Amino acid sequence: MKLRERLPAWIFLFVLLVVWELSVSRGLVPDYLLPAPSGIWATAVELRAELWVATLSTFSSILWGLIASAVIGVTAAVCFFVVPILRRAILPFCVFFQTVPIIAIAPLLVIWFGFGETTVRASAFIVSVFPILANTLTGLEETDPLLRELFRLYRPSRLKTILKLQLPSAIPYVLAGLRIAVGLATIGAIVGEFIAGGGLGALIDSALTQQRTDLVFGGVLASTLLALVLVIGIDLLSRLLMGRRPYMRSSSR
Amino acid sequence: MEAPAILVRDLVKRFPNQAHNVLENVSFSVAAGECVALLGPSGCGKTTLLRLLMGIEAPTSGTLVVEESLRSRLAYVFQEPRLVPWRTTLENVLLPFELTGSLTAETRELAVARLRELGLGERLAHFPRELSGGMQMRVALARALVTRPRVLLLDEPFAALDERTRFRLEDLLLELRAEYDLQYVFVTHSIAEAVYLGDRVLLLNNQGRLHADERVSLPPRDQDLKLQPEFNRYVRALSQSFHALEVTA
């Protein structure tokens, strides 16, 4: 996006921060409810070492969850695609599972995996696997029928058709799924940390008990920036892949 | 007498959920080496006939025999180039080898050689979207030719191209025929193209029946031939048959 197109958003942010700062400093809003941006910034700078360690820990959990989601999601999609009966047997439960809120499952994860990273990673995985699975499955199923007919002329094995036609044409769908999954994995990791400890989730939670609203905001800011960095990372990965080879659904016509 | 390359007897094709037959008792034979144009109004079953010859569709009834030595040496060129978008020119041409498990250094060289002959030597690493329509069609032709076919089946291969490119590719097809001992059956909407490229023109009517079977005896083709009276006699005769079809329809 060009700077010109982004300008309104920057102006809005600037106005928002100014109004926010002024309303706190003039005493319109008490700062234990809403600390001023300058106060949040000061706390973030002061506690940068703790924030950095917590952010790295959350980042690592999200990454673990995402990688597991990508590997398991894509593999499961291929299995469902190859064995339709498996899909009919299992997919409805995946959809059902997807509707159960992660906050309700997290205590169970603690029982199973204990306090700490494993539970957080599992939590990030659980919320982010489904979009990747569903998107990949759609991508595999929506291969261009004209290309499928072309491939049939040469009577290839099922494996070759999947490797050379269906998987490559599903790549844009997998990337779109990954983009959705990044945001969800961030939520999953932080919810997991609320309950299992560690990372930004635990930092926000303990700041809450100490009524350090400024530190809560610091944690929220760090998690937002983290999600942003991850989304940009996925975008870069997409551009890198698609720039190297134009993966797309339809053949030239 | 030599066995025909293709023998079709009382061929009928009806698709499920359709009220009438697409092809109705079509019979003809194609001699070895003969090149045939399939001509007819839209929806008369030309493409279906070509797909039956290739084995993409199965006949409802009737006989369709391709001479044994040719059976595994058929190649098909679709109406559109149908290139795999994420594969380069060379990779698209190597696709038949990869899918049949016969990719070797030798077949790779053959693919490069064919692409060079078709004027695509500089475009080996380009993706389809970076090529013009005419170039894409040439890649599709190379993909068909690289399997060393004896019979090429082409479904309106040049229909989407501008006239200049079409004429160039028509001449290319004639050169390939001479060079590789190749015969072809092709579907076209253009009467002039049918006369120019075919030794014979089969005209199908709207009911999917064979309406006319015209033999074309013309001197070796070049684009100037299209200006000659004998060429135009064939075109006129076929146009009249074609027109008669549309009047009865």
Side-chain angles (χ1 to χ4, degrees):
Chain A
M1 237 196 296
K2 288 196 190 94
L3 187 72
R4 248 181 105 93
E5 287 169 49
R6 285 185 184 171
L7 201 61
W10 287 112
I11 292 172
F12 177 73
L13 180 70
F14 179 76
V15 171
L16 186 77
L17 288 173
V18 168
V19 171
W20 180 355
E21 182 74 40
L22 287 176
S23 36
V24 179
S25 62
R26 297 282 158 91
L28 294 173
V29 183
D31 85 332
Y32 63 88
L33 285 185
L34 186 69
S38 58
I40 296 170
W41 181 250
T43 307
V45 171
E46 186 196 338
L47 297 174
R48 60 185 179 277
E50 280 100 323
L51 272 171
W52 179 243
V53 170
T55 305
L56 277 187
S57 162
T58 306
F59 177 72
S60 137
S61 297
I62 295 171
L63 217 56
W64 270 93
L66 264 185
I67 291 170
S69 285
V71 172
I72 294 172
V74 172
T75 311
V78 173
C79 292
F80 287 173
F81 178 67
V82 176
V83 191
I85 186 119
L86 214 59
R87 174 196 177 151
R88 285 200 293 276
I90 300 175
L91 198 63
F93 296 100
C94 294
V95 177
F96 173 73
F97 197 57
Q98 180 65 16
T99 60
V100 182
I102 187 65
I103 193 84
I105 309 172
L108 264 182
L109 295 177
V110 175
I111 297 172
W112 292 335
F113 303 116
F115 289 95
E117 269 180 341
T118 316
T119 294
V120 178
R121 288 172 187 173
S123 170
F125 162 75
I126 287 172
V127 290
S128 61
V129 68
F130 189 74
I132 297 182
L133 192 161
N135 265 40
T136 310
L137 196 56
T138 308
L140 289 169
E141 280 169 347
E142 297 202 339
T143 314
D144 186 356
L146 296 182
L147 285 179
R148 280 208 298 266
E149 191 179 67
L150 168 77
F151 270 60
R152 272 203 298 276
L153 285 183
Y154 306 106
R155 299 187 178 83
S157 65
R158 186 80 199 270
L159 181 69
K160 270 193 183 154
T161 309
I162 291 175
L163 288 180
K164 293 192 185 289
L165 175 63
Q166 278 139 349
L167 269 179
S169 63
I171 285 177
Y173 292 78
V174 179
L175 290 170
L178 215 53
R179 212 168 183 280
I180 302 168
V182 164
L184 291 172
T186 308
I187 297 171
I190 288 177
V191 168
E193 286 167 347
F194 276 153
I195 294 175
L200 288 169
L203 185 133
I204 292 170
D205 195 39
S206 78
L208 194 67
T209 49
Q210 296 163 32
Q211 299 208 327
R212 290 280 312 266
T213 322
D214 54 343
L215 190 53
V216 172
F217 269 95
V220 170
L221 187 68
S223 59
T224 309
L225 289 176
L226 182 56
L228 199 67
V229 166
L230 283 162
V231 169
I232 291 171
I234 298 291
D235 277 354
L236 282 177
L237 178 75
S238 305
R239 267 187 226 170
L240 199 75
L241 264 171
M242 304 294 273
R244 229 168 58 80
R245 277 180 185 275
Y247 292 104
M248 55 182 97
R249 187 179 160 269
S250 5
S251 63
S252 53
R253 44 193 92 193
Chain B
M1 208 180 99
E2 205 181 346
I6 297 168
L7 180 72
V8 175
R9 281 277 163 271
D10 304 323
L11 193 68
V12 174
K13 177 68 187 177
R14 180 194 288 241
F15 289 105
N17 309 321
Q18 265 196 340
H20 40 78
N21 296 336
V22 182
L23 292 171
E24 184 77 58
N25 289 320
V26 174
S27 299
F28 64 94
S29 68
V30 179
E34 198 175 36
C35 291
V36 175
L38 298 175
L39 192 66
S42 293
C44 71
K46 308 180 293 279
T47 296
T48 305
L49 181 54
L50 202 69
R51 291 166 67 88
L52 284 161
L53 291 176
M54 187 63 200
I56 302 173
E57 307 277 356
T60 306
S61 69
T63 322
L64 193 163
V65 185
V66 176
E67 204 259 313
E68 207 178 342
S69 66
L70 302 178
R71 233 168 272 167
S72 58
R73 313 261 320 252
L74 295 172
Y76 198 95
V77 178
F78 292 98
Q79 199 166 354
E80 64 292 324
R82 228 179 264 206
L83 303 177
V84 182
W86 58 85
R87 294 177 77 100
T88 62
T89 298
L90 179 60
E91 287 166 345
N92 263 293
V93 176
L94 291 175
L95 187 70
F97 297 129
E98 284 180 35
L99 294 183
T100 53
S102 51
L103 183 64
T104 60
E106 191 200 342
T107 49
R108 207 185 158 81
E109 262 171 46
L110 180 74
V112 174
R114 283 284 194 277
L115 282 165
R116 291 232 165 91
E117 283 163 21
L118 295 182
L120 291 160
E122 307 289 307
R123 311 275 170 167
L124 298 183
H126 285 61
F127 290 104
R129 65 170 180 197
E130 299 164 330
L131 304 175
S132 68
M135 284 177 188
Q136 290 189 16
M137 209 59 230
R138 274 185 282 159
V139 178
L141 263 176
R143 180 178 60 198
L145 288 170
V146 83
T147 55
R148 297 192 182 92
R150 296 278 306 280
V151 182
L152 204 54
L153 304 171
L154 308 109
D155 183 10
E156 290 189 51
F158 313 137
L161 303 174
D162 65 86
E163 201 168 60
R164 257 173 66 94
T165 314
R166 199 170 75 222
F167 289 172
R168 231 181 289 147
L169 288 182
E170 284 173 1
D171 289 336
L172 177 72
L173 191 61
L174 291 170
E175 281 167 35
L176 293 169
R177 175 187 183 181
E179 204 168 328
Y180 297 114
D181 184 25
L182 187 82
Q183 68 183 111
Y184 50 78
V185 178
F186 70 107
V187 168
T188 180
H189 261 117
S190 154
I191 297 172
E193 189 170 86
V195 173
Y196 190 65
L197 293 176
D199 300 327
R200 241 168 99 195
V201 180
L202 302 182
L203 183 61
L204 291 170
N205 67 15
N206 275 316
Q207 287 75 45
R209 288 176 201 274
L210 196 56
H211 179 79
D213 181 347
E214 189 83 34
R215 209 161 282 280
V216 181
S217 329
L218 283 172
R221 319 293 211 257
D222 64 55
Q223 291 293 339
D224 285 341
L225 182 68
K226 290 184 180 169
L227 305 171
Q228 302 305 315
E230 66 258 54
F231 182 87
N232 286 309
R233 258 199 299 280
Y234 282 110
V235 174
R236 202 174 311 125
L238 277 162
S239 300
Q240 279 160 358
S241 304
F242 208 126
H243 184 64
L245 283 185
E246 281 172 347
V247 170
T248 48

